[in-house]
């Protein structure tokens, strides 16, 4: 079957003049030409937001779009939604496109919820009778029934968001283009949206293009993803592969000493440094799968603390917390310590593992820091097999730790 | 499963007025216009009443200060307040269309950047919203006519009314989209627009008639303004008067040509509007 979206040699060029302004001013244009009449003919600097994109997307596929800020993700979506035309190439669409580049486009604070639903729905391409038909469903999905005839300005931002997403959730089109809209709102809202998105992609079998910086969301919704880098298509394959490729190429993952800053606010205890080393205590950035590592945590107790625990959490590159290790509660005297953690029989799959570090006393957290550091495991394996990204293989619970007081 | 091509996105589309596409979006045109009317009077206690009050109060002020000066003008063949009120509401229609179109293009930048729809919807719905205001104030004009002289209603000339409204609406749309095409690129035109509107106000027979006082080249310039004929037609639709039909047709043709040029310009701007607005 022919693909539902066919993108051929797509490119979009912007001209950037050297004095970038929010808008052009007539005076500037006239003066430039008066001062230097040849300026009209001088070519301005070209900037290709995207170039040479070739892509075929089949019916019912949901594709994640991954890339750094400025990689061209939004430009690609804008061209697909006809907001801006491409400079080269073409796109053949074999279905209607509904694009959701933001939720609540055109919401006006003076209008009531009801009025805003009608306008927002119409702007997103729904017909009036369509909105009327779905109106009750939209309102009950949003959960703001009681306030539907109240002006939007009296809504909390969460209510506005829920109403806005509810309208979008009832769009009917073969192709749905979604840009980072799930990045807003609280976790309950995000869960709800994600659930709806799953329904759209998996149950209704629609074609979805989904941009997000949240790798967990992308890998949950999209079996396949594309990677954009500097406007070019770098990869189009299984999402986990693309994410791994993206994370390992776009972030400097070559540190083994992590200094933690801004510690002034901690009154009781704080972690100042984490070091990742091999078993011989040499600093190391990149481990082979199955290779043993050690974590050295430098911390300071500002006074004597009883029933004190140091904990380290491992979070996968998809943002999923995998496991944590803890010391046994014990009383410590004021001072600086180095805790050394070692695990003999735990293997991690290839990938990057972010470290969360926490200190507690009598089960109350006194220090907590996410992404305090990371460990990287490469493709190479010293085991007879390769573990996939995010996989942890615990042969035996073999945590050992020791500490020394340094001051 | 449908397998036919629904649409193709190309770098530059062939020029068209996009009328077919506009028809597909007629619900959005309606909702856009309705939203504009709602927003405008939402927080005012008197609400829609302001549509009537605005020209009415202006008429009273002008009547108070100007009637002594302009009343003696022989060109005005009706009570001065009627002359002023009819002039003000038709002028209101024109200036609302132009101003709303330009303002809405700029103030809807957020929507333009995030959603696609034929951008001509904004001027068209701005025009419709202005027309709504006009219709309400026109009803008040009819009341004035009845109060002044019931017989006036029997001389009513609907063709004159239609022609005058056509000229005002089409010319207003043309000026609106031409100015908004410029404003999108150069915000300077936002500051030029009020002067242009003011100039037209003084050059048109709205609160006075100076037709008989000019001659020569100025007379040609005077009649070059399509609004002159529109005001004439509008007033003669309810008082007995004659206007050469070919003049009307000529002016309407000119206005339509200007409008087509405007649409052409606007459609060109539309292609890159989301990039620069």
């Amino acid at each position: 079957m022919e693909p539902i979206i066919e993108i051929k040699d797509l490119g979009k060029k912007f001209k950037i003049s050297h004095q970038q302004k929010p808008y052009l001013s007539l005076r500037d244009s006239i003066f430039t030409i008066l001062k230097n009449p040849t300026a009209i003919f001088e070519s301005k600097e070209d900037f290709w937001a995207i170039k040479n994109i070739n892509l075929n997307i089949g019916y019912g596929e949901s594709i994640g779009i991954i890339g750094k800020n400025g990689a061209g993700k939004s430009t690609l979506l804008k061209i697909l939604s006809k907001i801006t035309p491409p400079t080269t190439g073409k796109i053949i669409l074999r279905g209607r496109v509904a694009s959701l580049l933001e939720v609540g486009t055109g919401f006006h604070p003076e209008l009531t919820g009801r009025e805003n639903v009608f306008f927002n729905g119409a702007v997103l391409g729904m017909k009036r009778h369509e909105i009327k038909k779905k109106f009750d469903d939209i309102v009950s999905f949003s959960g703001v029934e009681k306030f539907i005839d109240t002006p939007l300005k009296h809504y909390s931002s969460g209510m506005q968001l829920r109403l806005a997403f509810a309208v979008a959730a009832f769009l009917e089109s073969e192709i749905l283009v979604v840009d980072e809209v799930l990045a807003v709102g609280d976790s309950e809202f995000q869960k709800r949206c994600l659930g709806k998105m799953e329904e759209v992609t998996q149950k209704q079998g629609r074609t979805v293009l989904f941009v997000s910086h949240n790798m967990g969301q992308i890998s949950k919704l999209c079996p396949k993803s594309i990677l954009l880098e500097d406007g070019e298509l770098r990869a189009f394959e299984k999402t986990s592969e693309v994410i791994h490729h993206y994370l390992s190429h776009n972030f400097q993952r070559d540190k083994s000493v992590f200094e933690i800053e801004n510690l002034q606010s901690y009154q009781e205890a704080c972690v100042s440094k984490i070091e990742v080393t091999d078993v011989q205590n040499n600093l190391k950035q990149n481990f082979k799968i199955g290779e043993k590592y050690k974590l050295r945590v430098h911390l300071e107790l500002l006074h004597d603390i009883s029933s004190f625990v140091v904990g380290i959490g491992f979070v996968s590159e998809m943002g999923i917390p995998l496991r944590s290790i803890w010391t046994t509660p014990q009383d410590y005297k004021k001072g600086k310590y180095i805790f050394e953690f070692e695990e003999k029989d735990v293997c991690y799959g290839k990938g990057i593992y972010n470290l969360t570090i926490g200190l507690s006393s009598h089960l109350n957290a006194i220090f907590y820091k996410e992404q305090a550091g990371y460990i990287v495991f490469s493709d190479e394996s010293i085991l007879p097999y390769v573990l996939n990204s995010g996989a942890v293989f615990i042969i035996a619970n073999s945590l050992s730790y020791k500490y020394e007081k340094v001051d | 499963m449908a397998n036919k091509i629904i649409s193709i996105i190309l770098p530059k589309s062939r020029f068209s007025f996009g009328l077919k596409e506009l028809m597909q979006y007629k619900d959005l045109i309606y909702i856009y216009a309705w939203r504009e009317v709602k927003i405008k009077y939402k927080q005012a206690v008197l609400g829609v009443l302001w549509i009537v009050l605005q020209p009415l109060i202006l008429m009273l002020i002008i009547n108070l200060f100007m009637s002594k000066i302009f009343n003696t003008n022989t060109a005005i063949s009706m009570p001065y307040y009627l002359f002023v009120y009819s002039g003000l509401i038709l002028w209101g229609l024109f200036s609302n269309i132009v101003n709303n179109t330009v303002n809405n293009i700029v103030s809807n930048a957020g929507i333009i950047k995030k959603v696609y729809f034929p951008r001509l919807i904004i001027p068209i719905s701005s025009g419709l919203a202005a027309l709504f205001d006009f219709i309400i104030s026109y009803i008040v004009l009819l009341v004035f006519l009845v109060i002044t002289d019931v017989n006036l209603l029997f001389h009513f000339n609907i063709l004159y009314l239609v022609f005058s409204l056509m000229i005002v609406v089409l010319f207003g749309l043309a000026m609106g989209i031409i100015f908004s095409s410029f404003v999108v690129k150069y915000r300077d035109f936002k500051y030029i627009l009020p002067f242009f509107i003011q100039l037209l106000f003084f050059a048109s027979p709205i609160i006075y008639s100076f037709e008989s006082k000019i001659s020569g080249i100025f007379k040609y310039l005077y009649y070059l303004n399509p609004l002159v004929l529109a005001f004439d037609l509008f007033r003669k639709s309810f008082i007995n008067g004659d206007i050469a039909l070919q003049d009307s047709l000529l002016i309407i043709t000119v206005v339509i040509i200007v409008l087509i040029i405007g649409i052409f310009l606007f459609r060109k701007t539309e292609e890159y509007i989301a990039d620069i607005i």
Side-chain angles (χ1 to χ4, degrees):
Chain A
M1 192 192 287
E2 286 172 297
I4 191 164
I5 304 174
E6 246 178 275
I7 301 177
K8 285 179 187 158
D9 299 321
L10 198 72
K12 170 85 183 175
K13 186 172 72 177
F14 286 101
K15 290 204 192 314
I16 37 175
S17 50
H18 292 288
Q19 4 144 284
Q20 197 73 43
K21 284 195 167 186
Y23 54 86
L24 294 161
S25 124
L26 188 61
R27 189 193 60 193
D28 291 343
S29 299
I30 292 172
F31 274 102
T32 324
I33 292 166
L34 285 182
K35 268 191 281 183
N36 181 7
T38 56
I40 331 170
F41 306 106
E42 272 174 25
S43 59
K44 287 180 190 156
E45 203 179 323
D46 286 346
F47 167 72
W48 287 88
I50 58 171
K51 62 186 172 214
N52 302 332
I53 305 268
N54 283 290
L55 194 61
N56 286 340
I57 294 168
Y59 283 84
E61 278 193 294
S62 45
I63 307 291
I65 301 175
I66 295 170
K68 278 194 295 193
N69 287 332
K73 304 186 299 287
S74 294
T75 306
L76 180 60
L77 293 198
K78 277 189 176 176
I79 296 171
L80 267 166
S81 0
K82 294 212 280 185
I83 293 168
T84 182
T87 313
T88 60
K90 68 171 172 179
I91 301 176
I92 298 172
L93 297 165
R94 294 192 174 82
R96 286 183 306 157
V97 179
S99 65
L100 201 55
L101 303 195
E102 113 191 311
V103 285
T105 306
F107 265 25
H108 196 285
E110 294 293 340
L111 298 178
T112 66
R114 181 188 302 275
E115 289 160 348
N116 274 308
V117 165
F118 271 87
F119 182 73
N120 185 237
V123 145
L124 291 174
M126 283 196 238
K127 298 261 176 282
R128 229 175 345 145
H129 64 85
E130 237 178 302
I131 308 172
K132 268 186 194 148
K133 208 174 70 191
K134 292 176 186 162
F135 187 78
D136 291 338
D137 293 335
I138 291 175
V139 175
S140 71
F141 183 75
S142 73
V144 297
E145 290 100 329
K146 260 166 73 186
F147 307 97
I148 197 65
D149 288 309
T150 311
L152 205 69
K153 60 182 172 185
H154 300 308
Y155 281 40
S156 72
S157 55
M159 280 158 68
Q160 291 190 19
L161 212 56
R162 288 212 301 276
L163 188 64
F165 187 79
V167 181
F170 287 88
L171 283 175
E172 271 176 18
S173 66
E174 290 81 25
I175 304 164
L176 187 62
V177 173
V178 184
D179 188 8
E180 200 83 69
V181 290
L182 306 184
V184 287
D186 54 20
S187 59
E188 201 226 348
F189 171 77
Q190 292 197 359
K191 237 189 199 160
R192 207 186 170 94
C193 298
L194 217 57
K196 190 73 195 176
M197 288 287 293
E198 271 180 47
E199 188 189 316
V200 165
T201 53
Q202 282 149 28
K203 296 207 187 91
Q204 301 175 4
R206 285 151 70 183
T207 307
V208 178
L209 287 174
F210 181 58
V211 166
S212 176
H213 281 113
N214 185 323
M215 299 301 144
Q217 286 178 353
I218 292 232
S219 51
K220 200 159 179 209
L221 293 174
C222 313
K224 281 169 86 182
S225 288
I226 63 175
L227 175 62
L228 288 178
E229 260 175 35
D230 301 324
E232 288 184 84
L233 189 69
R234 281 292 140 77
F236 180 26
E237 53 192 323
K238 251 176 68 188
T239 297
S240 55
E241 298 291 320
V242 175
I243 291 175
H244 180 70
H245 186 89
Y246 167 65
L247 292 175
S248 49
H249 281 72
N250 281 291
F251 296 98
Q252 292 276 309
R253 296 288 186 180
D254 52 3
K255 273 166 69 180
S256 52
V257 179
F258 305 94
E259 305 270 359
I260 296 165
E261 280 152 12
N262 300 326
L263 298 171
Q264 300 89 331
S265 59
Y266 297 100
Q267 303 298 320
E268 296 178 76
C270 61
V271 175
S272 58
K273 191 158 73 172
I274 301 170
E275 290 166 327
V276 182
T277 67
D278 61 15
V279 277
Q280 283 84 39
N281 288 331
N282 301 315
L283 291 172
K284 192 170 164 85
Q285 302 101 13
N286 213 330
F287 292 85
K288 296 188 174 94
I289 295 170
E291 202 179 343
K292 302 284 167 286
Y293 62 88
K294 272 189 189 175
L295 296 173
R296 288 156 61 86
V297 179
H298 296 244
L299 54 90
E300 184 176 3
L301 272 59
L302 299 167
H303 44 78
D304 298 354
I305 296 177
S306 57
S307 190
F308 179 75
V309 171
V310 183
I312 300 174
F314 295 81
V315 180
S316 82
E317 56 196 31
M318 309 286 183
I320 303 162
L322 296 174
R323 59 188 291 267
S324 53
I325 52 179
W326 307 85
T327 63
T328 44
Q330 196 182 323
D331 298 350
Y332 292 85
K333 290 260 173 282
K334 175 182 172 184
K336 288 186 176 168
Y337 293 84
I338 298 175
F339 277 74
E340 199 175 278
F341 294 83
E342 190 179 354
E343 288 185 289
K344 284 196 191 66
D345 292 318
V346 174
C347 305
Y348 287 89
K350 74 170 176 193
I352 299 146
Y353 298 84
N354 283 306
L355 302 175
T356 301
I357 188 115
L359 306 178
S360 73
S361 161
H362 292 289
L363 301 177
N364 291 319
I366 49 181
F367 178 93
Y368 181 79
K369 180 112 183 113
E370 287 181 358
Q371 301 191 351
Y374 51 77
I375 311 181
V376 182
F377 290 91
S378 68
D379 306 29
E380 288 173 77
S381 178
I382 56 168
L383 302 175
Y385 45 82
V386 174
L387 283 172
N388 277 331
S389 171
V392 192
F393 188 35
I394 304 170
I395 300 158
N397 210 348
S398 55
L399 174 70
S400 66
Y401 69 90
K402 57 183 180 193
Y403 66 91
E404 55 177 316
K405 197 164 185 297
V406 287
D407 175 24
Chain B
M1 200 178 286
N3 206 0
K4 63 174 199 284
I5 293 173
I6 303 279
S7 60
I8 299 182
I9 298 172
L10 289 166
K12 274 208 169 63
S13 45
R14 250 173 338 111
F15 176 75
S16 76
F17 288 114
L19 290 180
K20 209 175 128 195
E21 201 185 10
L22 273 179
M23 283 311 290
Q24 291 171 350
Y25 277 88
K26 61 179 189 300
D27 281 16
L28 183 58
I29 297 177
Y30 167 82
I31 289 178
Y32 231 119
W34 160 92
R35 173 183 188 249
E36 201 183 318
V37 173
K38 283 230 163 160
I39 291 173
K40 206 161 152 192
Y41 299 105
K42 201 76 186 197
Q43 246 198 339
V45 181
L46 297 177
V48 185
L49 215 58
W50 277 112
I51 299 176
V52 183
L53 286 178
Q54 285 177 72
L56 218 54
I57 293 170
L58 202 54
M59 179 200 80
L60 289 174
I61 294 171
I62 291 168
N63 212 41
L64 191 67
F65 291 101
M66 307 282 192
S67 61
K68 290 284 176 293
I69 308 169
F70 299 123
N71 218 357
T72 49
N73 195 328
T74 46
I76 301 172
S77 49
M78 64 179 85
Y80 185 63
Y81 71 90
L82 213 54
F83 182 87
V84 171
Y85 185 77
S86 58
L88 285 175
I89 64 170
L90 194 64
W91 170 254
L93 177 62
F94 175 78
S95 64
N96 279 344
I97 293 176
V98 181
N99 285 323
N100 292 357
T101 299
V102 175
N103 292 337
N104 287 344
I105 290 279
V106 178
S107 64
N108 282 311
I111 302 177
I112 288 173
K113 281 183 182 174
K114 294 290 182 190
V115 186
Y116 170 78
F117 53 84
R119 310 304 182 192
L120 268 175
I121 284 179
I122 294 177
I124 292 171
S125 50
S126 303
L128 285 177
L131 215 50
F132 174 81
D133 282 17
F134 173 80
I135 289 168
I136 290 182
S137 43
Y138 188 77
I139 293 169
V140 177
L141 176 69
L142 292 179
V143 174
F144 278 146
L145 290 180
V146 175
I147 294 169
T148 311
D149 182 0
V150 184
N151 287 327
L152 284 178
L153 288 179
F154 298 106
H155 303 295
F156 200 78
N157 191 330
I158 192 101
L159 188 70
Y160 284 2
L161 177 67
V162 170
F163 276 175
S164 73
L165 289 184
M166 262 180 82
I167 295 172
V168 169
V169 171
L170 297 181
F171 189 53
L173 274 180
M175 289 298 116
I177 59 178
I178 288 172
F179 262 95
S180 31
S181 305
F182 291 145
V183 167
V184 165
K185 205 158 182 193
Y186 298 110
R187 289 296 142 92
D188 305 72
F189 282 93
K190 217 168 118 186
Y191 304 105
I192 298 173
L193 180 65
F195 295 110
F196 172 78
I197 297 280
Q198 196 102 62
L199 179 77
L200 271 180
F201 180 83
F202 288 119
S204 309
I206 298 163
I207 58 170
Y208 49 72
S209 169
F210 55 98
E211 201 180 336
S212 52
K213 298 205 170 70
I214 47 171
S215 57
I217 181 91
F218 291 106
K219 197 131 194 160
Y220 285 105
L221 277 174
Y222 178 71
Y223 285 112
L224 215 61
N225 172 9
L227 294 179
V228 169
L229 183 74
F231 281 100
D232 215 14
L233 280 164
F234 187 62
R235 289 189 179 115
K236 281 179 178 158
S237 71
F238 56 81
I239 55 159
N240 240 342
D242 278 323
I243 285 179
L245 205 61
Q246 58 264 44
D247 282 1
S248 317
L249 292 177
L250 180 73
I251 291 287
I252 288 176
T253 317
V254 171
V255 168
I256 287 175
I257 291 170
V258 176
L259 182 62
I260 289 172
I261 295 170
I263 293 175
F264 183 78
L265 202 64
F266 191 82
R267 295 278 291 172
K268 282 274 146 217
T269 312
E270 189 177 5
E271 286 179 357
Y272 55 84
I273 188 165
D275 297 339
I276 62 168
I277 196 163

